[in-house]
Amino acid sequence: MHEHTTPPATPEAQSSGDAGKPLEDASTAHPETTADTGQRPVQRGRKTAFVGLASAAMILTGAGAVVAGGSLLPPPESSRVVAAAAAAVPAGASVGVCPGPARLLEGTEAGTDPQFSPVSATAASAVTGAVLGAAGVLPASRLSQLDGTTAVDISEGPGQGASAGAPQELLAGAVVSRPVEQVSVLSAEALANQKASAAAVMKFTATDGDLQGTAASNCHQPSNDQWIAGASTTVGRASVLVLTNASTTPATVSLELFGAKGQIQAPGSRGLLVAPGSSRALVLAGLAPGETQLSVRVRSAGGPVAAVIQQSVLRGLTPGGVDFIAPGAAPAVRQVMTGLDIQDPAGLAQLTGKPGYEDAGPALHLTVPGPSDAVVEVRMYGRDGQEALPSGGVITAKAGAVTEVSLAGVPAGQYTVAASSDVSFVAAARVTRGLQEDQATDVAWAAAGVRLGSQHVVPVPQGGIRSLVFGALDTRATITYSAITSDGKVRAPATADIAGGTTSSIAVPEKDGDADVVGYVVSASGDAAYGSVLVQQDGRSDISTLAFLAAAAGQETVPVTLSY
């Protein structure tokens, strides 16, 4: 008599895991294994062994057939690779958020809830802007307050367009030096599924008080990721980051701060809520005190935000200038800033040698966000060509930190600064006006700009001395510019050829014919060219510089992959 035997069960294993998600830790379950062990037979007769071997052979053969059969089955539908299709994205409205007037901090050394005091009796703030149309049609556009209240209707919307085949002449709608007392928004609806070409600038001026000077800022399109370089939080320097959410979606903002010694881990810099239709001001000294040079990366989840730093300088009782530091180009291996107006080097050397005036001269700030140092080559192009830097022009910028490069010793004049490296970095340049220790001075930051293409709308603020400054890097570039006037006309274009490795400027007249000049339509061809608006005041030390904004984009297509 023989006992029946049960062959050992084949072990089976299962595993599961979840793929990692951006900004979240990957969550992966451990594989689980189960196995059953059969009892060994008490007797090992030849017949029993033969039956066991035969049974095992049948099991293995069956298993092999299942495996072989399974390998011949087609893969499930969900694992098939499907080529990404291009989907057309409707053009959205053009939106530019203009900062409100500069305000003087009062009784707030640090923290994130600033109190502001009234500004001087001479302070004035105004917005100037333009919206382009073609073939007799203007897009619906307006200048409004942040709460949606309309301040100025620029155009009510498309009317009877020109007939087919009519000349596609440009026309414009304009808002001219509109006084503002708070954040304002320029908006223009898309026309024929093309994003509207529109831009505006806010200009603040004061001739008395602690905020003497001129501070101008482009009205920037909100973004979910932007970099601002040039802040300072040492004694006498007030840096206030203003975040504005002009959308209907709440924005959660996180800040990354970079100083001279490296990245700064600041409590309170994450998860900052900015409600729809509101602004939030943050005193940067409360997050990163005592920083001589500070760069801020602003990232938002949900609604996009417009970010700008209002910075003012007070040296004892002497005003040292006011400016709106705007976002510049994203990290890249080449950054270009133009519109730098540098004063007499001998006078600057005498002024910056005095206590408290170390930052009263021109300088370049380089921020390297990555883990590797950047060897940066800096070139300066003036009216007559490249000017050598006293430092030699090759600098090692430390990873994760801000490096200041002095531009002292360069002859007086207007310049374009080009910095290049094999490591991505962020850059901004500082210029100052005024050489007397006992008199008010002013400061301006030139953000890294975009390469010029076709049909940039360049607004120019009213009043003072205004110049269009262009820089060509390697070979000749051709610039075409047409004045936009307050009567809604786009004037006949003019052309300027700029030699490679030089900087040229064009004076902006107050009027063209009987109408005020409120901006330009600018296009470039040839080699890489960059541009800015330089704003000064006759008989005063006021200065501000505005990099040209990117041209409006039309309908876009994006790849879309459907999967789960």
Side-chain angles (χ1 to χ4, degrees), residues 128-555:
T128 298
V131 178
L132 287 189
V137 179
L138 276 173
S141 54
R142 63 177 185 154
L143 181 71
S144 62
Q145 299 178 6
L146 191 55
D147 62 5
T149 304
T150 299
V152 178
D153 273 320
I154 302 173
S155 173
E156 295 183 357
Q160 181 68 35
S163 59
Q168 298 296 303
E169 294 182 357
L170 292 176
L171 72 160
V175 53
V176 185
S177 200
R178 173 76 181 191
V180 292
E181 298 181 355
Q182 56 183 293
V183 173
S184 54
V185 180
L186 176 73
S187 59
E189 299 298 326
L191 190 62
N193 207 22
Q194 296 291 315
K195 194 169 186 178
S197 294
V201 60
M202 197 283 287
K203 178 184 175 183
F204 166 88
T205 59
T207 58
D208 68 329
D210 292 341
L211 295 181
Q212 291 186 47
T214 293
S217 173
N218 286 315
C219 302
H220 285 272
Q221 179 177 344
S223 172
N224 290 106
D225 192 355
Q226 50 203 307
W227 288 81
I228 308 178
S232 176
T233 59
T234 56
V235 175
R237 281 75 180 160
S239 294
V240 181
L241 173 64
V242 181
L243 306 171
T244 300
N245 181 3
S247 74
T248 57
T249 304
T252 302
V253 177
S254 294
L255 308 178
E256 295 178 18
L257 307 171
F258 298 83
K261 296 181 180 180
Q263 190 167 358
I264 302 165
Q265 302 300 327
S269 61
R270 304 278 178 168
L272 303 169
L273 180 63
V274 185
S278 70
S279 289
R280 182 169 182 177
L282 306 170
V283 180
L284 292 179
L287 301 174
E291 292 291 335
T292 54
Q293 52 251 14
L294 181 67
S295 292
V296 183
R297 184 184 187 184
V298 180
R299 293 195 295 171
S300 66
V305 298
V308 68
I309 294 177
Q310 177 202 307
Q311 178 151 303
S312 59
V313 179
L314 192 62
R315 298 184 175 94
L317 299 177
T318 304
V322 61
D323 194 33
F324 293 109
I325 308 178
V333 295
R334 182 168 74 171
Q335 302 285 8
V336 181
M337 295 128 284
T338 190
L340 278 73
D341 191 86
I342 294 180
Q343 302 178 94
D344 173 61
L348 281 171
Q350 184 177 6
L351 181 65
T352 55
K354 300 180 183 298
Y357 284 82
E358 297 83 3
D359 59 351
L364 178 66
H365 280 195
L366 306 172
T367 306
V368 182
S372 301
D373 293 351
V375 178
V376 183
E377 182 182 13
V378 180
R379 296 183 178 181
M380 295 193 68
Y381 302 108
R383 184 178 299 276
D384 299 322
Q386 184 174 347
E387 288 287 350
L389 282 171
S391 61
V394 178
I395 301 96
T396 299
K398 295 297 182 182
V402 183
T403 300
E404 180 172 297
V405 181
S406 174
L407 301 180
V410 176
Q414 294 178 354
Y415 289 92
T416 298
V417 177
S420 58
S421 174
D422 59 350
V423 175
S424 293
F425 63 98
V426 175
R430 180 183 67 221
V431 290
T432 59
R433 298 297 295 175
L435 298 173
Q436 301 299 319
E437 181 182 8
D438 57 347
Q439 296 181 7
T441 58
D442 202 6
V443 62
W445 281 92
V450 298
R451 177 175 175 171
L452 297 185
S454 176
Q455 200 166 298
H456 297 258
V457 178
V458 180
V460 291
Q462 301 298 288
I465 302 172
R466 305 159 298 168
S467 304
L468 302 180
V469 183
F470 297 99
L473 300 189
D474 300 317
T475 58
R476 185 174 298 275
T478 301
I479 307 294
T480 302
Y481 56 100
S482 305
I484 304 172
T485 50
S486 57
D487 57 0
K489 295 180 180 179
V490 179
R491 305 287 175 157
T495 301
D497 284 334
I498 304 176
T502 67
T503 297
S504 298
S505 64
I506 299 167
V508 177
E510 182 179 351
K511 293 180 179 293
D512 190 327
D514 296 331
D516 295 331
V517 174
V518 298
Y520 284 87
V521 181
V522 177
S523 299
S525 60
D527 191 44
Y530 297 78
S532 68
V533 178
L534 180 63
V535 182
Q536 296 174 292
Q537 191 72 33
D538 191 20
R540 295 183 55 80
S541 297
D542 296 19
I543 188 170
S544 191
T545 183
L546 305 162
F548 287 6
L549 299 178
Q555 185 180 14

